[in-house]
Amino acid sequence: VTPVAQGVPQASPRRPGGPLTPRGDRDWPTRGIGSRSFNPLVERLRGLGLSEAALGPLRSLHAEVRNIPAGGPIIREGEVAARLHIMLEGWSCRYTSVDSGRQSTAFLLPGDICNLDALQDMRLPYGVNAMTACKVAVLRIDEVRRAATGQAELAWALFRLACDDNRALVHRAACLGRRPARARLAHLICELQARSAAAGIDVGGSFMLPATQEELADLLGLTAVHVNRVLQSLRADRLVTLQLRWLTILDWDALATIADYAPDP
Amino acid sequence: VTPVAQGVPQASPRRPGGPLTPRGDRDWPTRGIGSRSFNPLVERLRGLGLSEAALGPLRSLHAEVRNIPAGGPIIREGEVAARLHIMLEGWSCRYTSVDSGRQSTAFLLPGDICNLDALQDMRLPYGVNAMTACKVAVLRIDEVRRAATGQAELAWALFRLACDDNRALVHRAACLGRRPARARLAHLICELQARSAAAGIDVGGSFMLPATQEELADLLGLTAVHVNRVLQSLRADRLVTLQLRWLTILDWDALATIADYAPDP
DNA sequence: CGGAACGTTGACTAGGATCAACTCAGGTGG
DNA sequence: CCACCTGAGTTGATCCTAGTCAACGTTCCG
């Protein structure tokens, strides 16, 4: 075997210490319940320009906060979800199992609602898994429904959120169906960079990417091995750096070109 | 060339006469406007169990009816859509263009709303094309918005519709990302059969499938050539028949097994 | 120390794309 | 009426992207 000199720093899978909880802890018996009386759904909707008056009925709702260790389930697939889950901290992914593995349909970041459609039908066609240690707000669906009853502005805002989800899915489907692996990965990187920046958790062109290569593969409709290879090629082309679960974009323009990435304004 | 005896009746692309308008007419100058004062949105929402009282505000809306010839555009991609489109007759497809061709995200049948999310953002990331001659109801978005203002039950129903769309998209993404061509096609056939049956436009195991192989390919994330081959293999296995744009399922169980199809109850 | 999880790399395979040719039916225009 | 064109379907040959299988390195952890 030739001692390949890549020229680009290789990824070292484990960071010595950092913001990310190690993946090893697959023991999630303790989901610490730190219940307070604050409500992230209110914050999320306020961000959409909802009036304080419209938010009123939600205020009284009690949100439980759950801590889920990395790798733990937030929502089990096929579960009848009696609760609405909202990401507070950490990353998770929404996935659907098919015969040959799983397909992720979204990465969920702080502020994202895991199972919005459970308000309409509690039988979910997907599961949600924590990719890092997560803090998740949990509200009882029946309570949310009750609070929303007769609240037109609120219902309209939820409709809005569902439409947003919709667009993201349309986009993802288009990528999965018609784009080669390199473009898909490049696009994902651009997208996550933008989302991290929007969430204010990036650091000048760099951001934390806690996903395993296998988790990336699940989202991209590829295998982990192939994600690895494509990633290597992006590294070789000096487009990105990924080490210690921290991704840096070296050449945004080139990457965006490959990705055919267009941020929506 | 050997005169291959397939044993299975080959598809003959053109039916002599039937319900389907020929694809040839790519001349859509005349979009006959037969405006009446009826409202399909009301019908669609009533189907969801909305009360008559809640439907009231929508009743006054004026719906225009447009006739679109086969192949014509219902909504142009990238258009800023000032109108909501609802399928009345015929089939259309919602697609998104990407560098290498187009990806369809849904086939739209009578009753389906083409661009529900336009109520939230009129800049659409997709277009809609008529696959057969279509009759489409058209409502002005600003009017619908105005009529919906303050109507909680109505907004909630729209939210519901968006969530339904959402599930379909999640499912499609999973298929695109993780299933081989044969399973995708088989699944699509099962799905369309079910939708046709639900719409009451099937005839005992058979239904009209007006889509071109290229249009199927766009939805399935394949090429037309490959769709053809897979279709041939399904025919050879005596699972389906497709001729004159009329599809018959010969062995539902086998097909559903290949497709891993599970109808939602 | 041994095992688990993750990343990396190589060799090989296969599913689907690409390119190209040909058929067939319908429509058009000379 | 026929020549020609177009759109759709079919088929073969070939290529290539991505999957599969396998081995190995590393780090972390019990």
Side-chain angles (χ1 to χ4, degrees), chain A residues 15 33 35 50-51 76-77 106 144 152 155 160 170 178 199 207 209 232 235 242 244:
Chain A
R15 86 255 146 284
I33 315 274
S35 68
L50 227 62
S51 72
R76 275 176 223 279
E77 200 176 1
V144 177
R160 158 79 192 264
V170 163
R178 288 286 172 223
F207 63 97
L209 177 56
Q232 294 299 349
R235 284 200 256 244
L242 174 57
L244 310 181

Side-chain angles (χ1 to χ4, degrees), chain B residues 6 50 53 61 88 94-95 103 121 142 146 152 156 158 191 200 220 263:
Chain B
Q6 275 289 73
L50 227 62
L61 289 186
L88 295 179
R94 192 193 284 150
Y95 66 89
Q103 175 66 44
D121 183 348
D142 50 359
R146 207 172 313 127
W156 191 262
L158 294 173
E191 183 191 326
L220 297 172

Side-chain angles (χ1 to χ4, degrees), chain B residues 148-251:
Chain B
T149 305
Q151 304 296 320
E153 206 182 333
L154 182 56
W156 191 262
L158 294 173
F159 173 36
R160 157 81 191 265
L161 288 178
C163 287
D164 289 347
D165 253 26
N166 236 295
R167 298 210 169 188
L169 283 168
V170 163
H171 198 92
R172 192 153 312 288
C175 280
L176 286 172
R178 289 288 172 221
R179 307 270 282 269
R182 201 174 152 87
R184 281 188 235 175
L185 180 55
H187 192 282
L188 178 63
I189 291 172
C190 290
E191 183 191 326
L192 292 178
Q193 151 69 24
R195 286 174 71 185
S196 293
I201 52 174
D202 69 326
V203 180
S206 295
F207 62 99
M208 190 183 69
L209 177 56
T212 285
Q213 291 187 356
E214 187 158 2
E215 287 161 339
L216 292 174
D218 287 345
L219 189 77
L220 297 172
L222 301 169
T223 55
V225 172
H226 200 58
V227 165
N228 184 295
R229 281 191 240 270
V230 175
L231 192 50
Q232 294 299 350
S233 103
L234 292 184
R235 284 200 256 243
D237 294 346
R238 308 291 186 121
L239 298 175
V240 302
T241 278
L242 175 58
Q243 35 191 339
L244 310 181
R245 306 212 173 256
W246 197 262
L247 194 144
T248 306
I249 297 180
L250 300 176
D251 187 340

Side-chain angles (χ1 to χ4, degrees), chain A residues 64-112:
Chain A
E64 210 175 82
V65 176
R66 286 192 183 161
N67 290 301
I68 314 235
I74 294 177
I75 298 171
R76 275 176 223 279
E77 200 176 1
E79 175 179 350
V80 176
R83 292 153 198 287
L84 192 66
H85 296 256
I86 304 170
M87 297 295 300
L88 296 178
E89 284 175 25
W91 288 43
S92 63
C93 67
R94 192 193 285 150
Y95 67 90
T96 299
S97 292
V98 289
D99 26 73
S100 52
R102 56 174 52 178
Q103 175 66 45
S104 290
T105 49
F107 282 170
L108 302 171
L109 272 57
D112 290 335

Side-chain angles (χ1 to χ4, degrees), chain A residues 212-213 228-229 232 235:
Chain A
T212 284
Q213 291 188 354
N228 184 295
R229 281 190 239 270
Q232 294 299 349
R235 284 200 256 244

